[in-house]
Amino acid sequence: MIKNIGLFDSGVGGLTVAKELMRAFPWLNIFYFGDTARLPYGNKSPRTITAYSKEIASFLLGKNVEMLVVACNTSSSIALGELERELPVPVVGMIKPGAKSAAERSESGRIGLIGTRATVASGAYEKEIRALNPSATVFSKACPLFVPLVEEGFAEDPVAEMVAARYLAPVLENGPDTLILGCTHYPMLIPVLRKAAPGVSLVSSGEATTEYLMEEHGFPRGKGPDEKGFLEIFVTDGGTHFKEVAEALLGKKIELEEVSLERLVTG
Ligand code: DGL
């Protein structure tokens, strides 16, 4: 049975996934990596996103993780195939779980998708959703301002409401009944997104991945026979708002270990 997993994101967003996993699987040991020095990933090229993802994966493998959860939709859209081919442990991305959850939930087959530029441009969600429901239609919109708003602690600020209304308008015009939050930062915007898209069912990576790990990897939900797990957090730059935003999200004090880019790149 898997006990130690690695989880990574460009920043604090992947902690929305870690939080759900800790709730469902309190026995799990999570090594979390936030690449705060190089965030955001969503506006970068596939080559850069893949290179960063591979560096982090190799750091986390050094912690003897038995599975890698790519808690970043951008890396999942771009680098998952390469990580799966190269790593000696199972790799779980965000796209399959999110697409499955949305395809099952949507009654009309009209599905909205919001994410970073790279995620939307990759077409990864459309591909997975069509494989599950060929008659589904996906209406997507890149929302590059959302990640900095969350990282700066502005997730519930009126400025986030204005940005959300602007980004969601063209998606909502198409009348989706389900909206995929195709970026792990976005669950922190849920109050704002609910207001902007009333009556639309929101799919978050964290919940979808929890279901996926239960169904596909046999993770047992609940306390389990084992001792309580832990969350260890590494960041490439401690001089950001990561700590405050992470503590507000997790509802507890956390310690960060800083890993310099030099150490990350040279191994
Ligand atoms: N949380 C990442 C994602 O899921 C954010 C990407 C970024 O850094 O732009 O896509």
Short mmCIF file of all heavy atoms in Angstrom, two decimals, residues 21 31 47 79 81 83 109 147 152 174 260:
data_model
loop_
_atom_site.label_atom_id
_atom_site.label_comp_id
_atom_site.label_asym_id
_atom_site.label_seq_id
_atom_site.Cartn_x
_atom_site.Cartn_y
_atom_site.Cartn_z
N LEU A 21 -6.93 15.62 -0.16
CA LEU A 21 -6.35 14.30 0.04
C LEU A 21 -6.14 14.03 1.54
O LEU A 21 -6.38 12.92 2.02
CB LEU A 21 -5.02 14.15 -0.71
CG LEU A 21 -5.07 14.28 -2.24
CD1 LEU A 21 -3.74 13.88 -2.86
CD2 LEU A 21 -6.18 13.43 -2.85
N PHE A 31 4.63 14.89 0.50
CA PHE A 31 5.77 15.79 0.29
C PHE A 31 5.32 16.77 -0.79
O PHE A 31 5.16 16.38 -1.95
CB PHE A 31 7.01 15.01 -0.16
CG PHE A 31 7.53 14.07 0.90
CD1 PHE A 31 7.03 12.78 1.00
CD2 PHE A 31 8.48 14.48 1.80
CE1 PHE A 31 7.49 11.91 1.98
CE2 PHE A 31 8.95 13.63 2.79
CZ PHE A 31 8.45 12.34 2.87
N ARG A 47 8.10 23.55 -23.43
CA ARG A 47 9.47 23.09 -23.13
C ARG A 47 9.88 23.47 -21.70
O ARG A 47 10.42 22.67 -20.95
CB ARG A 47 10.44 23.72 -24.15
CG ARG A 47 11.84 23.14 -24.11
CD ARG A 47 12.62 23.59 -25.34
NE ARG A 47 12.69 25.05 -25.40
CZ ARG A 47 13.72 25.77 -24.97
NH1 ARG A 47 14.77 25.17 -24.46
NH2 ARG A 47 13.71 27.07 -25.05
N ALA A 79 3.10 18.02 -19.48
CA ALA A 79 4.27 17.17 -19.19
C ALA A 79 3.93 15.77 -18.72
O ALA A 79 4.84 14.96 -18.48
CB ALA A 79 5.14 17.87 -18.14
N GLY A 81 2.70 12.98 -20.01
CA GLY A 81 3.16 11.84 -20.80
C GLY A 81 4.63 11.56 -20.56
O GLY A 81 5.05 10.42 -20.33
N LEU A 83 6.50 12.52 -18.01
CA LEU A 83 6.74 12.08 -16.62
C LEU A 83 6.37 10.61 -16.48
O LEU A 83 7.09 9.83 -15.86
CB LEU A 83 5.92 12.94 -15.64
CG LEU A 83 6.33 14.41 -15.51
CD1 LEU A 83 5.33 15.17 -14.63
CD2 LEU A 83 7.73 14.56 -14.94
N GLY A 109 -24.23 17.94 -21.24
CA GLY A 109 -23.04 17.74 -22.08
C GLY A 109 -22.40 19.05 -22.47
O GLY A 109 -21.46 19.09 -23.26
N VAL A 147 -4.34 33.31 -11.11
CA VAL A 147 -3.25 32.76 -10.29
C VAL A 147 -2.57 33.86 -9.46
O VAL A 147 -2.45 33.74 -8.23
CB VAL A 147 -2.24 31.94 -11.14
CG1 VAL A 147 -0.97 31.65 -10.35
CG2 VAL A 147 -2.88 30.64 -11.60
N GLU A 152 -1.48 36.42 -4.27
CA GLU A 152 -1.36 37.66 -3.51
C GLU A 152 -2.40 37.77 -2.40
O GLU A 152 -2.49 38.79 -1.72
CB GLU A 152 -1.51 38.87 -4.46
CG GLU A 152 -0.32 39.07 -5.38
CD GLU A 152 0.97 39.39 -4.63
OE1 GLU A 152 0.93 40.09 -3.61
OE2 GLU A 152 2.03 38.90 -5.07
N ASN A 174 -22.77 30.33 -23.31
CA ASN A 174 -23.07 29.05 -23.95
C ASN A 174 -23.91 28.12 -23.07
O ASN A 174 -24.15 26.97 -23.44
CB ASN A 174 -21.77 28.34 -24.33
CG ASN A 174 -21.02 29.10 -25.39
OD1 ASN A 174 -21.47 29.21 -26.51
ND2 ASN A 174 -19.88 29.68 -25.01
N SER A 260 16.84 25.92 -2.89
CA SER A 260 17.28 26.89 -3.90
C SER A 260 17.16 26.28 -5.29
O SER A 260 17.25 25.06 -5.45
CB SER A 260 18.72 27.29 -3.64
OG SER A 260 19.56 26.19 -3.87
#
